[in-house]
Amino acid sequence: MSKKIIRRSWAEPYRMKMVELLRMTTRAQRLKAIRAAGYNTFLLKSQDVYIDLLTDSGTSAMSSEQWAGMMMGDEAYAGSMNYYHLEDAIHKYYGYKYIIPTHQGRGAENILSQILIKKGDIIPGNMYFTTTRLHQELAGGKFVDVIIDEAHDPQSLHPFKGNVDLDKLESVVKTYGAKRIPYVCIATNVNMAGGQPISIANLKDLRAVTSRHGIRIIHDMTRVAENAYFIQQRERGYSNKTIAQIVKEICSLTDGATMSAKKDALVNIGGFLATNEWDVFEEARNLVVVYEGLHTYGGLAGRDMEAMAIGIGESVNDAHQAARVGQVEYLGTKMQEYGVPIVLPIGGHGVFVDAKAFLPHVQQENFPAQVLAAEIYLDSGVRTMERGIVSAGRRPNGKNYNPKLELVRFTIPRRVYTQAHMDVVAESAATVYEKRKKITGLNMVYEPKYLRYFQSRFERL
Ligand code: F0G
């Protein structure tokens, strides 16, 4: 009997004309490598990695158009034409008035935090991101989480786990007063929640509340196009809109943005700060020369700005996002079939394995997600990342943040790996899952002061 067509598949809207060869290793080689790396996947050499799912940041494959753009780099110190192309792309696709390029997202976060935050200020946000919160704290501010409770529950099927709980926000305003809140920090497709979107309806309500209190919304737009894709798929009234239209609408509901262009915008390096306020722009334009470079290059080469301008346009293409998020969904579904516990709904930039459910016998202070990432690497050479207690770090008073979510992130670079790679990854996760009872925790033996997850070292218990 012939098979009935039950769905029409997406396929990658591109073909390959250059490939990068991968190196395979033996388990003995990997054991040596992970020990030398102190059981921290950030400290592995990429040459020892087979399939690299550490991050989607700066790891995307550029298009032939972008590479052609690289050859058009106008490497002038001041007023490079590529800067003006970037400015045009940001006006066209995002709509913010003023822009400052920076070398990457945290460069923009640093400048924005220094300008807007005074000592003692409060910054509510829809879950923290590591560098964003640290810059808020270094500027004297305090981050307060106002995301909906569902975001902290790996099993909740809420379609918009990135939404802000407006009651939580109102109570923060009541407690501290609007004057101490320079802005609400809103990430689209919230990274630490598992790549989970915020809805337009929630953003509109948030806009109404913040306008009433005279508080800005600053948009961490690192993965705005992925968020727009979920809105198109899930939100009432948006199924006929293009991702480009939805992205523009999201931006129009906010007052300014920081962007790590290394994700959505398909470049290996780059970012920017955007604002609709002249005063903020004027200060940022001055401060950028202290930390990054002149305001028409912000730490980037002309060619980097050109690639970014082109990548922004490609990122809002509907077929691109359908394949990009479709690939993540493919991996997540495969893992689910093997019974591996993952964060649901499956996110936009990666599959997040729930290490608490995977290794219930390992206490959070023995770093279940950290050890799980090491075990996956040992099994197959697949590199993933801890997103749990190590990433969360310590409060300014020295105590651990102890996040509810203890996750291992399998992050998919854009346009890099094939479905066959995803099969290998899912099978590796399933193999480790079968052996889960034998896995024990870790001890942290070295801990740097800032963003410890990048450089901390561990030993087996
Ligand atoms: N905001 C979000 C939501 C991010 O995911 C990142 C980076 C940044 C800001 C900082 O940008 O790295 O360009 O300085 N996330 C990377 C990751 C590191 O792996 O998730 P950056």
Side-chain angles (χ1 to χ4, degrees):
M1 226 179 66
S2 57
K3 196 174 161 184
K4 271 231 158 57
I5 296 172
I6 48 167
R7 64 166 230 178
R8 299 298 296 265
S9 295
W10 53 267
E12 291 77 2
Y14 53 82
R15 56 184 174 185
M16 295 164 205
K17 66 169 136 195
M18 189 196 277
V19 296
E20 181 181 348
L21 302 183
L22 298 178
R23 189 170 158 253
M24 319 270 274
T25 49
T26 62
R27 190 179 172 96
Q29 286 169 325
R30 293 194 290 275
L31 185 61
K32 209 172 143 197
I34 196 75
R35 277 189 185 146
Y39 295 90
N40 184 346
T41 51
F42 276 99
L43 301 178
L44 288 167
K45 292 181 181 158
S46 105
Q47 284 295 296
D48 294 328
V49 173
Y50 170 37
I51 299 173
D52 203 348
L53 307 187
L54 183 72
T55 176
D56 63 329
S57 182
T59 53
S60 298
M62 291 207 296
S63 64
S64 48
E65 302 277 318
Q66 286 177 293
W67 279 107
M70 295 284 278
M71 297 307 289
M72 300 296 285
D74 170 7
E75 306 306 342
Y77 190 92
S80 158
M81 84 171 173
N82 311 117
Y83 164 79
Y84 295 101
H85 292 168
L86 176 62
E87 190 183 40
D88 286 348
I90 293 171
H91 286 160
K92 179 172 171 191
Y93 293 106
Y94 303 144
Y96 295 113
K97 273 193 198 149
Y98 310 112
I99 71 136
I100 304 272
T102 55
H103 77 285
Q104 58 184 74
R106 70 198 75 178
E109 290 168 353
N110 172 34
I111 291 168
L112 186 87
S113 301
Q114 289 202 35
I115 293 171
L116 293 184
I117 300 172
K118 295 185 309 295
K119 195 166 164 41
D121 279 353
I122 302 294
I123 301 93
N126 57 347
M127 205 173 269
Y128 82 102
F129 182 71
T130 57
T131 59
T132 320
R133 186 180 64 194
L134 179 60
H135 280 298
Q136 291 163 0
E137 289 172 353
L138 291 172
K142 185 176 161 220
F143 170 84
V144 179
D145 190 12
V146 293
I147 204 165
I148 56 172
D149 286 340
E150 286 88 339
H152 294 280
D153 171 8
Q155 293 310 310
S156 159
L157 290 174
H158 196 294
F160 291 103
K161 283 166 115 175
N163 281 358
V164 172
D165 182 329
L166 296 165
D167 291 336
K168 285 188 193 169
L169 180 63
E170 288 282 17
S171 98
V172 174
V173 177
K174 210 164 167 191
T175 310
Y176 299 99
K179 283 219 165 68
R180 283 177 67 189
I181 305 177
Y183 61 92
V184 178
C185 181
I186 294 304
T188 30
N189 237 41
V190 181
N191 189 354
M192 302 304 277
Q196 304 292 332
I198 180 170
S199 69
I200 292 272
N202 186 252
L203 259 176
K204 283 186 176 160
D205 291 345
L206 177 69
R207 178 76 282 180
V209 170
T210 50
S211 296
R212 190 148 40 75
H213 293 294
I215 299 171
R216 295 177 189 85
I217 301 176
I218 296 292
H219 176 201
D220 180 342
M221 61 182 304
T222 296
R223 297 181 182 84
V224 65
E226 286 165 13
N227 196 119
Y229 174 76
F230 284 127
I231 288 171
Q232 188 188 54
Q233 299 302 308
R234 297 177 188 168
E235 190 160 356
R236 237 195 159 154
Y238 284 87
S239 61
N240 292 325
K241 298 223 163 144
T242 62
I243 288 177
Q245 288 170 324
I246 301 169
V247 164
K248 197 96 182 249
E249 183 173 355
I250 293 172
C251 295
S252 76
L253 292 165
T254 68
D255 302 296
T258 55
M259 169 70 153
S260 169
K262 299 170 73 174
K263 285 82 164 173
D264 252 13
L266 298 160
V267 285
N268 305 121
I269 194 72
F272 61 80
L273 192 167
T275 171
N276 292 334
E277 296 170 79
W278 173 260
D279 295 358
V280 175
F281 169 66
E282 208 183 8
E283 247 186 283
R285 186 177 59 181
N286 191 202
L287 214 49
V288 74
V289 299
V290 181
Y291 294 104
E292 308 274 320
L294 192 70
H295 60 281
T296 57
Y297 77 85
L300 296 169
R303 54 180 171 268
D304 299 326
M305 291 188 283
E306 191 64 30
M308 201 196 307
I310 298 167
I312 288 169
E314 291 179 4
S315 77
V316 298
N317 177 288
D318 291 81
H320 163 67
Q321 284 304 338
R324 190 285 182 280
V325 179
Q327 189 179 42
V328 177
E329 198 187 352
Y330 177 85
L331 174 63
T333 305
K334 225 153 186 160
M335 286 203 201
Q336 269 186 301
E337 285 165 10
Y338 286 119
V340 176
I342 62 172
V343 173
L344 297 173
I346 297 164
H349 64 303
V351 177
F352 289 65
V353 168
D354 181 355
K356 272 188 187 168
F358 199 114
L359 300 173
H361 54 285
V362 179
Q363 299 301 307
Q364 193 170 33
E365 46 276 23
N366 297 127
F367 312 111
Q370 187 78 29
V371 75
L372 185 50
E375 290 289 344
I376 301 274
Y377 171 73
L378 269 173
D379 178 72
S380 56
V382 171
R383 170 155 69 172
T384 59
M385 181 198 291
E386 194 263 11
R387 293 266 87 150
I389 187 169
V390 186
S391 291
R394 293 183 187 273
R395 297 169 195 277
N397 70 10
K399 288 221 169 90
N400 276 322
Y401 268 109
N402 288 95
K404 284 211 182 90
L405 295 175
E406 180 71 27
L407 310 174
V408 177
R409 189 180 71 176
F410 291 61
T411 344
I412 317 297
R414 295 163 189 79
R415 310 192 292 206
V416 171
Y417 292 112
T418 66
Q419 209 149 302
H421 286 114
M422 297 303 117
D423 291 339
V424 169
V425 171
E427 287 155 20
S428 176
T431 305
V432 177
Y433 191 56
E434 276 176 7
K435 295 190 291 198
R436 63 190 179 278
K437 293 206 170 101
K438 288 196 194 128
I439 298 173
T440 53
L442 299 169
N443 231 343
M444 198 187 291
V445 293
Y446 169 69
E447 180 179 356
K449 185 166 166 202
Y450 301 116
L451 303 173
R452 64 181 180 185
Y453 59 101
F454 285 126
Q455 292 152 339
S456 52
R457 302 184 70 86
F458 303 81
E459 274 169 8
R460 289 258 188 214
L461 274 183

